[in-house]
Amino acid sequence: MASQSSYLKNSYEEYSPSKVPSILNEGRNGLSSSFQETLQAFTKNKLVFMNTEMENDIFYDTTVYTGSAGFGLFYFMCAITDENDELLKQSLSYINIKKQLKGKRISFLCGDAGPLALATVISYKLGNRVTKKPYRLPEYTVIAERLLALISLLSESPDEVLYGKAGYLYALLFVKKYIPDDTVIPPDHIKKVVRAIIKSGRHYSTQVGSESPLLWQWHDKVYLGAAHGVAGILYMLLQAHDYVDPLDMSDYVEPTLQWLLRQRLGSGNYPSSLGSPRDRLVQWCHGAPGFVPLCVLAHQYFKNDKYLKIAKECGEVVWRRGLCAKGFSLCHGVAGNAYTFIQLYQATKDPVHLYRAGCFMEWCVSARPGSQARAPDRRASLFEGLPGRLYLAEELNHVDTAKFPAFEL
């Protein structure tokens, strides 16, 4: 039974096809103008607050997860959406690749790969148009070489998204998305990372005698969710399907996916780790929200309707229990859970999901008394603090192309 202390009661009305909710426009394919104005005012006010009251907190470190590169990713997303060079320069002002990169962590979110991947793409897009300080960058190919060199950490890295190989795989795919030139990110480089992840999963599965053909552990546990677990790793492999051997996809990846989905609890949620009876966490990093993008993509790739059905069922769990008492963050809060409904809306075009995303956004904007049990550890970080809400607010203006940051391509 779910602990009532982990989430707050959802008092929003259920979506009704017979009336248009105030959050949606008349066509039910976007936000209403009044709600858009609310979000614009929220974003404007909070950006001023961040750049005055929270400025020092932004530069806690250089990473995407807890540091300045997360704010850089926010401006990068805005720049790509609007094709705006000035926003790219703004993004660059939060990305530091000259110092403080420690060369110890390989992932996009918590390692050097995130700032390097962002800087590579920004250098490519700005080209020779920016030559003066403070925005001057090395040639994008030079930065990409630093990103490629991180592969030296592959064998000593875990496999998961937040700190490990799957997070490095995302960084490579991120650059590849914007710079398709094979000389920048060679396909063989990506394949080497993919093979290392699969080899590690096969080895650990054999070691523990699992019925799943692939299994990975982190800190002596088999985590199942998006941040540290099997769901996140499989999702990265599916996004990298062009670089995965077709036999590995059929013999290892899909059977592992099917095994993973059988671990579902009676409530429809997923435990944070294998064998855990606890049914408390409904957040991107642990629980049902992290399974939705995996199942949506599996449905698209394997052409099997059962995956979309499970994704929708996970969405019901998030609607019931997704107003996290922990607060509004992307990683373990309501903003991250709102992406569940964005992903389902993109897959189905059913306005019920867009409505639900809007409700969760409204919860994040209103920040009612008692809706956050405690302040985030890093209040200016993308994944724990205020920038996550700003990111979501901007994404809802182009919901058809919105992507969970540092996870969806």
Side-chain angles (χ1 to χ4, degrees):
M1 179 135 182
S3 167
Q4 294 294 325
S5 63
S6 62
Y7 63 97
L8 302 172
K9 181 181 179 182
N10 185 346
S11 297
Y12 288 104
E13 290 185 7
E14 291 288 348
Y15 175 79
S16 172
S18 63
K19 66 176 182 178
V20 180
S22 60
I23 282 174
L24 300 185
N25 62 20
E26 288 293 326
R28 308 185 196 210
N29 61 356
L31 303 181
S32 66
S33 57
S34 61
F35 192 48
Q36 285 181 329
E37 289 171 4
T38 297
L39 297 188
Q40 288 166 2
F42 171 78
T43 299
K44 181 179 179 180
N45 292 336
K46 294 303 183 183
L47 282 175
V48 170
F49 180 71
M50 282 205 66
N51 287 301
T52 53
E53 301 298 319
M54 299 171 69
E55 185 175 15
N56 291 335
D57 295 322
I58 293 172
F59 294 91
Y60 170 74
D61 61 30
T62 61
T63 70
V64 172
Y65 188 96
T66 52
S68 59
F71 212 32
L73 183 58
F74 166 75
Y75 279 113
F76 177 85
M77 178 269 294
C78 296
I80 294 299
T81 303
D82 297 338
E83 299 183 353
N84 187 320
D85 279 5
E86 292 307 309
L87 287 174
L88 276 181
K89 296 175 192 175
Q90 186 118 16
S91 171
L92 192 56
S93 68
Y94 294 98
I95 297 166
N96 188 337
I97 62 167
K98 294 181 180 179
K99 59 182 180 179
Q100 295 183 326
L101 296 188
K102 298 178 180 179
K104 294 181 179 179
R105 285 181 176 166
I106 200 172
S107 69
F108 187 93
L109 274 169
C110 294
D112 293 1
L116 289 171
L118 279 165
T120 299
V121 176
I122 293 172
S123 176
Y124 171 78
K125 287 191 168 291
L126 291 178
N128 296 323
R129 288 172 294 187
V130 178
T131 58
K132 295 181 180 180
K133 292 181 179 180
Y135 301 117
R136 188 168 60 213
L137 270 177
E139 187 73 19
Y140 69 90
T141 54
V142 174
I143 310 171
E145 284 296 328
R146 292 178 61 185
L147 176 62
L148 294 174
L150 290 175
I151 202 166
S152 64
L153 302 174
L154 199 64
S155 62
E156 61 194 68
S157 297
D159 297 286
E160 43 87 86
V161 168
L162 220 59
Y163 299 106
K165 298 182 187 74
Y168 183 52
L169 177 58
Y170 176 86
L172 299 173
L173 296 173
F174 176 88
V175 175
K176 196 74 171 176
K177 176 180 178 178
Y178 296 105
I179 312 176
D181 185 347
D182 284 349
T183 64
V184 179
I185 304 293
D188 283 348
H189 192 93
I190 300 176
K191 289 177 182 178
K192 184 174 181 179
V193 178
V194 166
R195 287 195 297 266
I197 292 170
I198 292 175
K199 180 180 179 181
S200 177
R202 290 179 62 183
H203 175 77
Y204 187 71
S205 172
T206 301
Q207 180 182 327
V208 298
S210 174
E211 66 179 78
S212 172
L214 299 174
L215 206 64
W216 301 272
Q217 62 87 26
W218 187 74
H219 283 199
D220 300 321
K221 283 187 179 181
V222 176
Y223 284 95
L224 301 183
H228 301 297
V230 179
I233 297 170
L234 290 179
Y235 184 60
M236 289 305 161
L237 291 175
L238 279 177
Q239 289 191 107
H241 59 82
D242 286 342
Y243 308 95
V244 180
D245 186 299
L247 284 177
D248 284 341
M249 193 67 83
S250 61
D251 294 350
Y252 293 101
V253 174
E254 188 172 22
T256 299
L257 170 64
Q258 293 170 344
W259 170 88
L260 174 65
L261 296 180
R262 292 197 296 270
Q263 309 312 307
R264 189 160 45 160
L265 299 165
S267 67
N269 193 27
Y270 285 87
S272 61
S273 60
L274 185 62
S276 173
R278 302 182 74 188
D279 183 12
R280 293 190 64 249
L281 303 179
V282 180
Q283 53 201 47
W284 171 76
C285 49
H286 300 293
F291 285 73
V292 172
L294 171 63
C295 289
V296 166
L297 186 54
H299 168 251
Q300 294 167 355
Y301 182 81
F302 295 114
K303 310 300 182 187
N304 191 324
D305 288 343
K306 73 178 180 181
Y307 296 129
L308 185 58
K309 179 176 181 291
I310 293 173
K312 292 177 182 178
E313 291 167 354
C314 286
E316 295 303 319
V317 174
V318 180
W319 178 242
R320 294 194 310 270
R321 297 168 53 190
L323 296 178
C324 304
K326 290 179 180 178
F328 314 112
S329 75
L330 283 174
C331 185
H332 37 261
V334 181
N337 286 350
Y339 275 91
T340 294
F341 306 120
I342 292 175
Q343 292 148 359
L344 287 170
Y345 175 71
Q346 290 171 345
T348 67
K349 298 304 177 185
D350 188 335
V352 64
H353 303 302
L354 183 56
Y355 165 73
R356 290 176 171 185
C359 289
F360 275 38
M361 181 75 254
E362 194 278 335
W363 180 271
C364 291
V365 169
S366 60
R368 297 172 181 82
S371 58
Q372 180 171 249
R374 67 181 181 88
D377 293 333
R378 306 295 170 202
R379 62 178 187 152
S381 74
L382 178 63
F383 268 67
E384 294 182 359
L386 177 56
R389 285 188 278 167
L390 299 177
Y391 202 105
L392 174 63
E394 286 295 316
E395 289 263 78
L396 281 171
N397 289 320
H398 52 93
V399 68
D400 287 329
T401 57
K403 305 291 183 186
F404 193 103
F407 191 62
E408 289 185 90
L409 289 163

